[in-house]
Amino acid sequence: MSLANKLALERRGRLAAERLLELKEAELSAANRKLGRHAAALQGEIVETRAEVANVKTENERVKTELGQANQKVEIAERRLWHSVQTITDGFAFFNSENRMIAANSSYLTVFDNLELIRPGVHYVTILQVLTDEGIINTGKLTPEAWRELMTERWMQPQPEPITIRLWNDQYIKLVDRRGHGGDIVSLGLNITEAVQYEKQLKSARAEAEAASRAKSAFLANMSHEIRTPMNGVVGMAELLCDTGLSEEQQLYVETIKNSGEALLVIINDVLDYSKIEAQKLQLHPEPFDLERCIHDVIMLLQPSAREKNLTLLVDYDLFLPTVYVGDPGRIRQVLTNLMGNAVKFTSQGHVLVRVTGVPDLENGQAVVNIAIEDTGIGIPEDKIKHIFGEFNQVENERNRQFDGTGLGLAISKRLVDLMSGEMWVTSEDGVGSCFGFKVPFELGTAELPAHPPVPEGLRLIMVVDDIEANRTILRRQLEQIGMGVMTCSNAKEALEQLNQIDLVLTDHNMPGMDGLELAEATCAAGSEVPIVLLSSNSTYAASDPGAQHVHAILQKPLPRADLFTHLQSVGPLLGNQKANTANSGSDERKMRVLAAEDNKTNQLVFRKMIKNADVDLEFADNGEEAVELFQSFEPDMIFMDISMPKMDGKEAATKIREIEKERGGHIPIVALTAHAMDGDDQGILASGIDHYLTKPLRKPQIHSKLRELCPAEASPPFPEEEADARQTG
Ligand code: ADP
């Protein structure tokens, strides 16, 4: 190779090397620049981080200080709390969720006499064990095992009920345990010894007071019971003496003896009843009875006093409410007599209305019956309303003082209603009137609702004439409910003008201006033949009035709805001109046979005299044995049976008679004669097969009414001439 070529080659090589060098230098400086930039960025970050660190450090310092302060406060609070817990006299302990004690105050530990074993960490079950083993607890009737089991079971409940335990030294501790969220339990032991002892004292004081009150009531009950027996002689003999030939002066004396005797008996009866209720000796004797009849019976009793004052007695018995219930008819009658008697007593004009409502629950065979007695009497001042239900309490004011009474009636009635699980209430406006009401749950006596009353044939439009609006409304509703058209008139004159198209007139007797009988007369005189039915509160008197010939029937008012409907049916236009005359025509039937078992000769005499007007065959038995014999030989239609008799008492005799009847059939009514039944006596009486009982002293009307009631169809009525007399004299 030539030199020139060699030089050229070397030059090219050098140039290439220089180019490479330049390239590398450029790369190097680029890398250097990048490094420089990175270093600068890093520098910035380091400065920032340093500042942050400094910040965090300060923050940390602050938090630390605050935490320290908070800790201090918590410690102080905890110390104070624990101090308080230590100072309280009640026991206090915490348990963890594994039932181990975390801490307990000294009161809690004192119970264990600071036993070494009972300290934080101890299990609840061990505590129970120590309590029984060391005899700290009085487990009463439970064995220690049973007691521990009971307590453990309780402890395991999510929220155990408080329990009172008794310690060996008769201290009573009430344990109240509360489980927290994490399963911890706070246990409080409250010392309630004083409260328990106080309660015990109260209980024994109350038991003593109740026993004393019962003893007092029993004494009163026995006393009034004993007083009744001799009163029998006094009232009975006075009643008989009244019927003998006496001068006017003597008659006055005897009547005074009789009236005073009877007044005394009312008081004795009230005291006896009240005492029996107080002594918890009064029991109810439920049996099926007809409530509507019961109300009408009481009305019959009150009718004479109501008539004297010209008061109208009304009954509004819900048409579709059953009438037969299972209850104690005697006691219901007593409540009704008290309330209705008061209503009549404290009312001088207007009316007394008995309203009966209720909703029967046929499915359960029950009904809650509401009975309200409204009057238009003197009313009761508002501030006295509560007072009058208290025993011997009466409204003491000028108006009230003219009425006599014991102030026991309402107290007894209220307690009787309470005893029947019922309620009693009163609303009243002074000077305007009162409404006494009570509601009683009854079992239904029959499973059916009362049948729809028959619609009288041929009767479409009835005219009701009555001056008292309440009565017009009641009759209108009752008649409309069975589908009849009703027109009402408040006076007879108005009625006379509207007789056209009327099928029947149902008129009240006593009305201002023209009365019911005069209306009948005027109707006849006007040539109308429309039948007239007279409702009178004194039907016997009405029947004796010459005007009676113009009416088609005279009904005693108020009368049960069923009776009214039955009468209407028979008195419909089909009856024509037939006049009402229900007199019993004489017949040649045999006399009623009556057996009276009574050992006491005086009482036999009283009894004989009392029924001397009765047309019956009477036989006496001196004791129960004779009664059973005569039952077979004399074959009485009914028996009056004294209860306490020598040889065989009345109950035994009745049982024997019922046994005989079982073989040969039949059922003779037996009426017991008792000196007021005491503590379940009456139950025994009825259980022995006796059907009714009368309490001594015997009264003529009671005995007569039993004779009338129990006279069989085949015997002649016991008082035919008495009924005829009544019709003549009115
Ligand atoms: P008594 O009628 O024997 O006085 P009660 O206990 O039956 O006793 O009644 C207590 C009192 O309540 C009566 O004395 C009377 O003041 C008042 N009282 C009761 N019923 C009525 C009534 N219907 N109207 C006005 N006051 C009445």
Side-chain angles (χ1 to χ4, degrees):
M1 176 185 319
S2 69
L3 186 62
N5 278 354
K6 276 186 184 173
L7 278 174
L9 198 66
E10 185 269 335
R11 201 172 138 253
R12 267 200 309 275
R14 191 173 33 88
L15 281 177
E18 275 174 4
R19 261 198 314 273
L20 189 66
L21 191 66
E22 266 172 27
L23 205 66
K24 287 295 168 197
E25 265 177 359
E27 271 178 16
L28 193 66
S29 79
N32 259 344
R33 270 197 313 277
K34 200 173 169 186
L35 205 65
R37 272 201 311 275
H38 192 66
L42 220 56
Q43 179 78 19
E45 261 177 42
I46 286 170
V47 171
E48 243 174 58
T49 309
R50 269 200 195 134
E52 259 175 38
V53 166
N55 247 353
V56 168
K57 243 186 181 172
T58 342
E59 189 73 3
N60 199 13
E61 283 304 316
R62 200 173 52 79
V63 169
K64 252 188 182 168
T65 332
E66 279 178 8
L67 205 64
Q69 284 168 348
N71 243 344
Q72 235 174 356
K73 277 188 191 161
V74 168
E75 266 170 31
I76 293 170
E78 201 176 298
R79 223 179 17 250
R80 281 184 188 150
L81 183 67
W82 190 242
H83 186 68
S84 317
V85 166
Q86 284 290 21
T87 47
I88 57 171
T89 47
D90 295 315
F92 193 89
F94 299 106
F95 290 82
N96 65 16
S97 56
E98 271 126 43
N99 306 313
R100 291 194 181 277
M101 183 193 279
I102 301 170
N105 71 354
S106 46
S107 300
Y108 193 97
L109 299 173
T110 315
V111 170
F112 301 89
D113 206 11
N114 293 319
L115 212 73
E116 186 58 17
L117 192 58
I118 307 298
R119 61 185 148 84
V122 66
H123 198 280
Y124 187 71
V125 170
T126 315
I127 295 180
L128 295 179
Q129 189 77 41
V130 169
L131 282 171
T132 49
D133 289 357
E134 298 290 324
I136 298 171
I137 195 84
N138 180 344
T139 59
K141 286 182 191 147
L142 294 178
T143 61
E145 295 76 32
W147 184 82
R148 286 198 301 268
E149 200 174 310
L150 176 99
M151 295 297 285
T152 315
E153 220 168 83
R154 170 185 171 276
W155 182 259
M156 302 317 280
Q157 300 295 320
Q159 285 308 345
E161 284 294 313
I163 190 170
T164 301
I165 57 172
R166 186 175 167 189
L167 302 186
W168 61 278
N169 53 2
D170 266 352
Q171 296 280 307
Y172 287 85
I173 310 287
K174 182 175 181 181
L175 295 179
V176 183
D177 302 311
R178 283 279 167 273
R179 204 176 284 278
H181 281 307
D184 283 4
I185 290 194
V186 176
S187 186
L188 251 183
L190 307 169
N191 192 328
I192 57 162
T193 312
E194 267 181 33
V196 170
Q197 271 162 0
Y198 186 59
E199 198 180 322
K200 265 190 193 165
Q201 279 169 5
L202 280 184
K203 262 190 196 154
S204 87
R206 184 179 160 169
E208 265 173 40
E210 280 173 354
S213 161
R214 272 198 302 277
K216 175 208 73 185
S217 305
F219 171 73
L220 269 179
N222 286 332
M223 262 244 318
S224 31
H225 177 67
E226 291 304 322
I227 296 171
R228 293 183 64 87
T229 314
M231 283 304 289
N232 190 27
V234 177
V235 177
M237 283 296 182
E239 200 168 323
L240 292 174
L241 205 55
C242 275
D243 292 344
T244 59
L246 295 175
S247 71
E248 212 170 288
E249 195 181 2
Q250 286 167 330
Q251 186 81 26
L252 178 73
Y253 295 159
V254 177
E255 292 219 334
T256 311
I257 296 176
K258 189 175 144 245
N259 292 343
S260 308
E262 287 191 340
L264 180 56
L265 271 172
V266 170
I267 300 174
I268 294 170
N269 280 349
D270 278 358
V271 171
L272 175 62
D273 270 342
Y274 189 77
S275 320
K276 273 170 80 178
I277 299 175
E278 280 285 280
Q280 291 163 9
K281 283 190 175 166
L282 192 130
Q283 285 169 351
L284 297 175
H285 301 293
E287 59 179 273
F289 77 105
D290 186 324
L291 178 63
E292 194 185 9
R293 288 262 163 223
C294 191
I295 292 171
H296 282 275
D297 285 352
V298 178
I299 291 221
M300 284 294 279
L301 279 178
L302 295 173
Q303 201 64 272
S305 6
R307 233 174 1 231
E308 258 173 37
K309 303 203 242 176
N310 221 357
L311 287 184
T312 309
L313 302 181
L314 306 166
V315 180
D316 185 4
Y317 197 106
D318 189 344
L319 192 62
F320 294 106
L321 185 69
T323 60
V324 181
Y325 298 98
V326 180
D328 186 330
R331 296 300 174 186
I332 290 283
R333 190 172 291 128
Q334 188 175 359
V335 175
L336 286 169
T337 310
N338 272 334
L339 299 186
M340 288 159 63
N342 277 348
V344 170
K345 180 162 81 174
F346 294 108
T347 305
S348 52
Q349 57 180 19
H351 66 258
V352 171
L353 165 61
V354 184
R355 208 184 283 282
V356 188
T357 51
V359 184
D361 172 0
L362 290 186
E363 219 162 83
N364 296 312
Q366 283 172 339
V368 176
V369 179
N370 282 287
I371 303 172
I373 293 116
E374 295 170 19
D375 67 51
T376 51
I378 61 170
I380 303 161
E382 206 180 332
D383 58 328
K384 291 286 187 295
I385 284 198
K386 280 206 179 115
H387 168 80
I388 53 166
F389 284 102
E391 46 278 4
F392 301 108
N393 288 357
Q394 298 174 313
V395 176
E396 292 286 341
N397 62 19
E398 205 53 36
R399 229 176 1 190
N400 220 79
R401 234 160 270 148
Q402 48 184 305
F403 305 103
D404 49 33
T406 58
L408 269 177
L410 288 179
I412 293 173
S413 301
K414 183 168 179 342
R415 278 162 187 260
L416 285 176
V417 170
D418 285 347
L419 213 63
M420 297 173 197
S421 315
E423 259 177 61
M424 186 180 255
W425 65 87
V426 56
T427 51
S428 185
E429 201 177 322
D430 200 9
V432 177
S434 313
C435 175
F436 282 81
F438 63 100
K439 67 173 176 191
V440 178
F442 283 123
E443 255 176 57
L444 294 176
T446 51
E448 286 154 29
L449 280 179
H452 194 286
V455 182
E457 212 173 306
L459 285 187
R460 279 176 301 276
L461 187 57
I462 292 194
M463 179 189 278
V464 171
V465 190
D466 201 312
D467 56 316
I468 293 175
E469 195 196 337
N471 214 12
R472 289 198 302 270
T473 313
I474 296 172
L475 284 170
R476 171 196 278 279
R477 217 183 37 231
Q478 291 182 344
L479 294 169
E480 281 180 348
Q481 266 174 325
I482 64 165
M484 283 196 276
V486 180
M487 253 185 81
T488 56
C489 288
S490 59
N491 63 67
K493 271 218 171 104
E494 199 184 303
L496 261 181
E497 288 159 13
Q498 308 184 40
L499 287 176
N500 283 347
Q501 296 167 358
I502 298 290
D503 296 318
L504 181 110
V505 176
L506 197 56
T507 176
D508 184 29
H509 179 188
N510 256 339
M511 290 185 287
M514 186 186 277
D515 73 14
L517 288 169
E518 286 163 348
L519 167 65
E521 222 169 325
T523 310
C524 247
S528 166
E529 288 194 350
V530 56
I532 296 184
V533 171
L534 186 84
L535 294 173
S536 171
S537 57
N538 192 351
S539 53
T540 344
Y541 173 72
S544 66
D545 190 293
Q549 57 177 313
H550 304 296
V551 299
H552 293 73
I554 297 174
L555 308 179
Q556 174 70 41
K557 78 163 191 183
L559 76 167
R561 298 150 312 152
D563 291 5
L564 173 67
F565 295 133
T566 320
H567 276 285
L568 286 186
Q569 225 179 8
S570 60
V571 175
L574 303 174
L575 212 64
N577 287 329
Q578 195 183 322
K579 302 288 180 280
N581 185 358
T582 51
N584 256 325
S585 56
S587 70
D588 52 7
E589 294 150 324
R590 68 166 175 82
K591 281 187 190 178
M592 179 184 186
R593 289 189 290 266
V594 177
L595 172 62
E598 167 67 71
D599 62 311
N600 183 306
K601 293 288 175 210
T602 314
N603 283 346
Q604 278 191 9
L605 176 70
V606 170
F607 191 89
R608 187 184 294 282
K609 296 282 182 188
M610 278 183 172
I611 64 165
K612 72 168 193 282
N613 292 336
D615 189 20
V616 298
D617 276 341
L618 173 68
E619 283 277 344
F620 276 107
D622 286 334
N623 56 54
E625 266 175 23
E626 263 186 52
V628 178
E629 277 166 30
L630 278 168
F631 162 71
Q632 285 164 297
S633 55
F634 176 54
E635 298 197 344
D637 294 312
M638 68 165 298
I639 303 175
F640 285 103
M641 182 81 83
D642 184 26
I643 291 299
S644 57
M645 287 186 291
K647 290 196 187 165
M648 182 188 281
D649 73 14
K651 285 193 264 186
E652 268 181 271
T655 313
K656 282 250 152 56
I657 289 172
R658 294 297 178 227
E659 273 167 18
I660 299 169
E661 281 178 341
K662 247 187 216 162
E663 282 166 26
R664 62 174 222 197
H667 184 101
I668 291 301
I670 304 181
V671 180
L673 308 175
T674 76
H676 215 283
M678 270 288 291
D679 41 32
D681 255 13
D682 37 1
Q683 228 172 2
I685 288 172
L686 297 175
S688 61
I690 287 172
D691 308 282
H692 312 268
Y693 62 85
L694 294 178
T695 45
K696 290 177 177 178
L698 301 177
R699 311 285 177 76
K700 215 156 91 174
Q702 282 180 335
I703 295 184
H704 286 199
S705 102
K706 278 282 169 256
L707 287 175
R708 270 190 218 103
E709 184 189 323
L710 302 172
C711 178
E714 64 271 23
S716 58
F719 303 102
E721 72 291 340
E722 196 181 70
E723 280 167 30
D725 281 357
R727 221 169 290 117
Q728 273 163 25
T729 56

